[in-house]
Amino acid sequence: MPNSATDDPEYDLAVIGAGAAGLAGAVTAAELGLSVALLDTSAQPGGQFYRHPAPALGATRPEALHHDWSTFTGLRRRLADSSVTLLAGHHVWTVVRAETGGRWDVHAVTGADGDGERPVRVRARAVLLATGAYERQLPFPGWTLPGVVGAGGAQAMLKSGLVLPGNGVSPAGAKPRAGGRVSSAGATSRAGGRVVVAGSGPLLLAVAASLAKAGARVPAVVEASGYLGYARHPRTLAVNAHKMVEAAMHGTALLRHGVRLRTRSAVTQVHGSDRVEAVTVSRLDRDWRPVRGSGRRIVCDALAVGFGLVPQLELATGLGCTTRRAQDGSHVLDLDAQQETSVPGIWAAGETGGIGGAQLACVEGELAGLAIAARLGGRPAPAGSARARALGRRRDRMRAFASVMAAAHAPGAGWSRWLDDATDVCRCEEVSAGRIREAVTDFGARDARTVKLLTRAGMGWCQGRMCGAAVACLAAEGPGEALPPSPERRPLAVPVRLEVLAALTETAASESGDPEASAAREEGTGG
Amino acid sequence: MARDRSPAELVGAVPDATFEITFDGRPIVALPGQSLAAVLWAAGILAWRTTRVGGRPRGAFCGIGHCFDCLATVNGEPNRRACLVPARPGDAVTTQEGHGHAELGDR
């Protein structure tokens, strides 16, 4: 194994993210002889799609909560058999060009939540960004009440922690039962909580099916779009039969559990004082404007909500990688046929190039692994090989489906009509829709950045991940010409303690061998 | 219909021995390998923080460490992401009020 754990290892390739794309890229590159570091925030590989319980939970049938689990176990086996160095619990906060030519420095903080442990630098000749995606959220009255959770969040908590949201146990009733009666049932959710699943996108069906199989009651799945958007592209559907099979499996599971699917509808109000007690579901017109008087109340204990996924691009935009806008308006990385970004030496695979799912991510990761191995080996791009050609065809076919999907679930412009002025849009800084509208109509803000500077919306802990899409829409509603939206540029991808930044300056200075520079910088950071 | 099924039964979980943590001083049961947020959800607890401005209750939202809504004070240390931090025997989770640094005064 080349360049294994030394104090300051240098690798051929650093892969950021150990989900489907990152795993496929890392094992492919390692199998072709590259030394590879694979960094991920979690304690175990799998990313969000293949998220699974920790070993101590002793899940004997983890596949019960997964579609296509064997793909993951295959990748996991190849990882175990490979020379890849898995760096679990590593939260990468920036990637920068190293002082030595042709190298990249990947900086990470470590630990379960990146807090309290040592900072790490990994140097590599190439970087594969496989940072995946997070959920797009659109606010609505009551969405900050406890019991309203992300649809992907509910899925993640179920897959890793074996728990359901809002299982109906009151805090007073949650005390452990006496003595030996405290069993595993006391620490994983009991059945029976009512969870409405709402938003838009194919993830909703998967989430609802998982929740129902795990014992939740799902009174309704509420989808803001119709499914007609898919029907306009019969050819793309026909060559992506696996997606139809997957949808049919979820649909069958929902039917079996008696779950009702309401399309062209949205949750427009959550009721409850300190936690969810009910939701109002309203019909939407084709632009997602709620139809007046169509609201119906559904009693429930929790709401799992999400409006599709958006690529996680902080590291890429920090490096200056070019983005383009996808059919749903989100920013995605602009990649060439070999999965390379506009910055030579920086590759990307999976959701960072547009939301397309785990199978596409595997294909792109493998393609990137092939291309990176060829580049670092001084060989021409592998596009001519049979393996690369076959992968390229599969990628293009699945990308076509992803485009249809993005267009079918693109948020309609009318969604903001279900906001009232009191609704907090920015959850972190508690900035209401009314204050954002004031910034737009009275103070002339025309983009999310100006709204942020005027109101603090998007300035908090989550760095605009939860409210960014909504704020951009509200800013575009102002009078006159809206500024074309640009991708967020956030120099730090995760929160980093000042002491980590200070230590970085010391390291850089001591590496330069100039003690005076070192002392000067220490003073600078202490001021 | 599998209405009475639990997630643990669905995946055939045979967990290691349970242990206790406390939430605002009250003991609750945890399974090894669960995040603090999962332990709290399993006990029917959905909120463990109040916001800085409105004092409103919050708990886990995104479930994957991105939204920071699930911040809790763990063993006296505020601003820990409960959805990421694994539960350990004897952990004391307390409701985090505002930024969690009351000793530093209001922001």
Side-chain angles (χ1 to χ4, degrees):
Chain A
M1 179 160 48
N3 289 329
S4 64
T6 62
D7 280 349
D8 190 12
E10 178 175 313
Y11 297 87
D12 292 324
L13 171 64
V15 180
I16 303 169
L23 277 171
V27 297
T28 302
E31 285 161 5
L32 291 167
L34 300 195
S35 60
V36 180
L38 175 57
L39 297 92
D40 195 89
T41 57
S42 298
Q44 45 188 8
Q48 301 310 333
F49 189 76
Y50 293 120
R51 187 182 261 266
H52 53 284
L57 276 164
T60 57
R61 292 189 302 271
E63 69 275 13
L65 280 170
H66 284 274
H67 180 75
D68 212 10
W69 180 246
S70 62
T71 299
F72 173 65
T73 53
L75 286 169
R76 192 168 57 179
R77 205 173 312 117
R78 284 168 71 193
L79 178 69
D81 292 343
S82 78
S83 62
V84 173
T85 303
L86 176 64
L87 299 173
H90 280 57
H91 305 247
V92 176
W93 56 271
T94 193
V95 179
V96 292
R97 222 176 268 278
E99 308 95 64
T100 35
R103 300 289 187 275
W104 302 96
D105 282 344
V106 177
H107 292 280
V109 288
T110 58
D113 62 349
D115 195 17
E117 291 185 42
R118 73 205 155 87
V120 170
R121 186 195 74 188
V122 174
R123 184 163 285 182
R125 296 165 66 198
V127 174
L128 173 58
L129 299 172
T131 46
Y134 53 87
E135 216 160 17
R136 171 167 38 218
Q137 293 296 347
L138 298 176
F140 45 90
W143 79 307
T144 53
L145 266 185
V148 180
V149 300
Q155 179 89 318
M157 295 278 288
L158 173 59
K159 282 178 175 178
S160 61
L162 305 180
V163 290
L164 298 166
N167 60 358
V169 182
S170 70
K175 286 180 184 164
R177 285 165 285 172
R181 296 287 310 283
V182 179
S183 66
S184 64
T188 67
S189 289
R190 272 146 286 194
R194 293 157 296 186
V195 188
V196 170
V197 178
S200 189
L203 181 68
L204 299 185
L205 299 179
V207 171
S210 297
L211 293 173
K213 274 163 73 179
R217 285 176 287 162
V218 181
V221 175
V222 185
E223 161 66 57
S225 292
Y227 286 99
L228 283 176
Y230 289 92
R232 295 192 198 104
H233 304 271
R235 249 192 66 79
T236 306
L237 298 192
V239 296
N240 284 280
H242 64 285
K243 287 288 184 190
M244 298 296 102
V245 171
E246 192 179 337
M249 283 172 62
H250 294 319
T252 309
L254 296 181
L255 278 177
R256 192 168 61 240
H257 293 283
V259 176
R260 285 196 56 187
L261 174 62
R262 292 169 186 243
T263 57
R264 294 219 172 281
S265 304
V267 169
T268 50
Q269 172 92 54
V270 183
H271 309 277
S273 50
D274 284 328
R275 59 189 287 168
V276 177
E277 290 164 14
V279 297
T280 292
V281 173
S282 300
R283 294 273 303 156
L284 302 182
D285 72 11
R286 51 182 301 184
D287 292 325
W288 290 26
R289 262 184 298 265
V291 176
R292 204 180 292 265
S294 67
R296 284 203 181 168
R297 211 174 159 106
I298 299 177
V299 174
C300 58
D301 304 296
L303 168 66
V305 65
F307 290 86
L309 304 175
V310 284
Q312 174 142 318
L313 299 183
E314 293 88 357
L315 296 173
T317 52
L319 282 159
C321 300
T322 306
T323 58
R324 62 183 177 83
R325 292 193 79 198
Q327 283 78 359
D328 63 352
S330 62
H331 294 273
V332 306
L333 288 181
D334 195 16
L335 304 173
D336 72 7
Q338 308 297 315
Q339 301 294 135
E340 195 169 12
T341 69
S342 63
V343 177
I346 305 289
W347 275 263
E351 311 289 46
T352 48
I355 303 307
Q359 285 169 305
L360 174 57
C362 286
V363 168
E364 291 190 344
E366 190 174 340
L367 264 172
L370 292 177
I372 295 165
R375 171 78 57 80
L376 297 190
R379 298 187 301 276
S385 77
R387 182 183 180 187
R389 276 205 311 273
L391 287 167
R393 278 196 302 272
R394 288 184 65 199
R395 176 195 55 199
D396 296 347
R397 192 188 73 210
M398 288 194 269
R399 276 276 161 225
F401 182 85
S403 296
V404 171
M405 194 176 76
H409 298 282
W415 72 267
S416 63
R417 302 292 181 90
W418 68 53
L419 282 178
D420 61 36
D421 276 349
T423 307
D424 274 341
V425 171
C426 172
R427 301 172 68 93
C428 300
E429 295 296 312
E430 298 167 80
V431 182
S432 67
R435 283 177 57 206
I436 292 171
R437 283 171 170 150
E438 179 188 54
V440 172
T441 36
D442 296 353
F443 304 141
R446 289 293 175 275
D447 66 340
R449 184 179 152 73
T450 312
V451 171
K452 176 176 75 180
L453 296 176
L454 288 168
T455 66
R456 298 188 65 84
M459 207 179 268
W461 274 104
C462 89
Q463 290 284 283
R465 289 193 181 97
M466 297 303 119
C467 69
V471 172
C473 288
L474 293 174
E477 285 178 3
E481 194 92 348
L483 289 176
S486 58
E488 294 261 15
R489 297 198 74 152
R490 305 273 185 176
L492 307 183
V494 299
V496 177
R497 286 177 183 268
L498 286 173
E499 66 196 80
V500 172
L501 298 180
L504 189 68
T505 317
E506 283 165 24
T507 313
S510 62
E511 274 172 6
S512 75
D514 180 351
E516 271 183 50
S518 176
R521 288 180 205 195
E522 271 178 53
E523 274 173 35
T525 52
Chain B
M1 293 252 207
R3 277 280 158 77
D4 297 319
R5 206 162 196 188
S6 74
E9 285 162 2
L10 178 66
V11 300
V14 187
D16 296 348
T18 61
F19 56 82
E20 275 189 1
I21 69 167
T22 59
F23 174 63
D24 287 342
R26 182 157 57 83
I28 53 177
V29 188
L31 287 177
Q34 283 184 318
S35 67
L36 289 169
V39 173
L40 293 165
W41 270 22
I45 298 162
L46 292 176
W48 48 84
R49 177 171 81 92
T50 56
T51 59
R52 284 173 299 156
V53 180
R56 299 293 298 150
R58 295 279 177 89
F61 181 68
C62 82
I64 60 171
H66 281 150
C67 77
F68 296 82
D69 248 356
C70 69
L71 296 177
T73 297
V74 182
N75 302 323
E77 192 186 343
N79 298 318
R80 302 301 304 271
R81 278 174 277 176
C83 76
L84 296 184
V85 177
R88 302 196 193 287
D91 274 344
V93 181
T94 43
T95 295
Q96 176 171 329
E97 290 173 16
H99 48 52
H101 288 288
E103 76 281 7
L104 301 178
D106 290 337
R107 64 166 191 158

